[in-house]
Amino acid sequence: MQEVFKDFSTDGLLKIGNELLLVTYRKPKQAGLYIFIRTTDQKASIEVDGIPYNISEHSLLALTPIQFIHFTEGKNLIVYQFNREFYCIKDHDQEVSCAGLLFFGNAHVPLIDLGEKEQQKFDTLHEVFVDELDTEDTIQAEMLRMLMARFMIMSTRLLKAKEGFSNAANDVKVDLLRGFNLLVEAHYKTEHSVSFYAEKLFKSPKTLSNTFSKFNTTPLQIIHERIVLEAKRLLIYTDKTAKEIAYEIGFEDASHLSRLFKKQTQYSPSEFKKQLKKAY
């Protein structure tokens, strides 16, 4: 089963189907679309940025367009794919509060277990999605966007509960973390200091550190993890040298990236590349 909606006025694209939508990722490549993968009665396996994930039955995985994915196994999946033109995560974040958590949440890949009650809710929403795709009228596009917003709100709530963010007292702290993650996503190639992001958020570096300690991380750790993640992507999926990668990520001296990379991974970029060649 595969349903496709195209909004020719905006170039918006929405695809809903099964594992056949992931066939193009049998060879590793950049996602290019926002993707939700939902398992039903069987497990699935996928690599995201070179890291393997085993997805248990009745689970939900969210992926962004910039991630590199390699679909290896999975049946009876429910897959949603859409582009920025269909639903812009950042422009509509006030509606769904998912940016910086469900999507673009640093190096974190959100994997959500669905209980029986949640499965029923997502099943019902899926039926409405499919029915709406068969209803071609002037408000179809808006209806589909509303359904996707509903889908993301449900997913974000579950993720917040899983991460222990569901307490109302944590809302301000979570929003600060989300805002920081989004800023890092936008500026990590040029800005590597905590003070830059603190100023953008009208907070002191100390306030950020105290807040993020509740989430077992630090502002600098988030910046460094995002830099290393990008370096890994470029090492795995391109032929660029360590020096070229360092320059692309904003390091004039490649040795600075090399030290950071080794601190995070125990390998220098060149050693990491050699390990990849052995693995493949």
Side-chain angles (χ1 to χ4, degrees), residues 164-175 211 214-215:
F165 297 161
S166 54
N167 189 320
N170 278 333
D171 284 350
V172 173
K173 295 174 184 176
V174 173
D175 284 342
T211 300
K214 306 295 190 300
F215 304 130

Side-chain angles (χ1 to χ4, degrees), residues 102-238:
L102 188 64
F103 295 110
F104 305 111
N106 192 27
H108 181 65
V109 175
L111 185 57
I112 306 166
D113 295 326
L114 303 178
E116 188 172 338
K117 185 177 179 181
E118 286 76 29
Q119 293 169 40
Q120 292 174 354
K121 288 181 179 180
F122 279 99
D123 284 342
T124 300
L125 184 58
H126 182 69
E127 290 175 7
V128 179
F129 256 122
V130 173
D131 181 66
E132 190 58 42
L133 283 164
D134 291 332
T135 306
E136 297 184 11
D137 57 23
T138 56
I139 61 171
Q140 184 188 30
E142 191 57 34
M143 282 295 294
L144 289 170
R145 289 189 182 94
M146 288 172 61
L147 291 172
M148 183 52 69
R150 175 65 176 164
F151 188 101
M152 287 187 284
I153 289 170
M154 290 167 57
S155 303
T156 302
R157 283 176 175 170
L158 291 172
L159 183 60
K160 282 184 175 181
K162 175 186 175 182
E163 301 290 350
F165 297 161
S166 54
N167 189 320
N170 278 333
D171 284 350
V172 173
K173 295 174 184 176
V174 173
D175 284 342
L176 184 60
L177 177 64
R178 293 196 312 112
F180 186 84
N181 281 337
L182 282 178
L183 282 172
V184 170
E185 187 63 37
H187 300 287
Y188 72 91
K189 289 187 178 181
T190 56
E191 301 293 342
H192 302 163
S193 69
V194 174
S195 59
F196 169 84
Y197 299 98
E199 184 177 346
K200 287 284 186 182
L201 292 166
F202 303 103
K203 303 290 183 182
S204 69
K206 185 176 181 180
T207 296
L208 291 182
S209 295
N210 290 339
T211 300
F212 292 177
S213 66
K214 306 295 190 300
F215 304 130
N216 299 314
T217 189
T218 68
L220 191 60
Q221 183 178 343
I222 291 174
I223 297 167
H224 286 173
E225 285 177 351
R226 184 63 186 89
I227 290 169
V228 171
L229 172 60
E230 192 65 19
K232 283 183 176 180
R233 284 175 178 162
L234 294 170
L235 286 166
I236 295 170
Y237 300 109
T238 75

Side-chain angles (χ1 to χ4, degrees), residues 250-279:
F251 290 85
E252 293 184 5
D253 188 340
S255 65
H256 293 167
L257 175 61
S258 184
R259 283 195 292 271
L260 173 59
F261 194 93
K262 190 162 189 174
K263 183 178 179 181
Q264 294 278 329
T265 69
Q266 298 183 325
Y267 296 103
S268 69
S270 58
E271 290 169 342
F272 182 79
K273 193 78 170 179
K274 288 178 183 177
Q275 292 296 320
L276 288 174
K277 290 179 180 178
K278 289 179 182 179

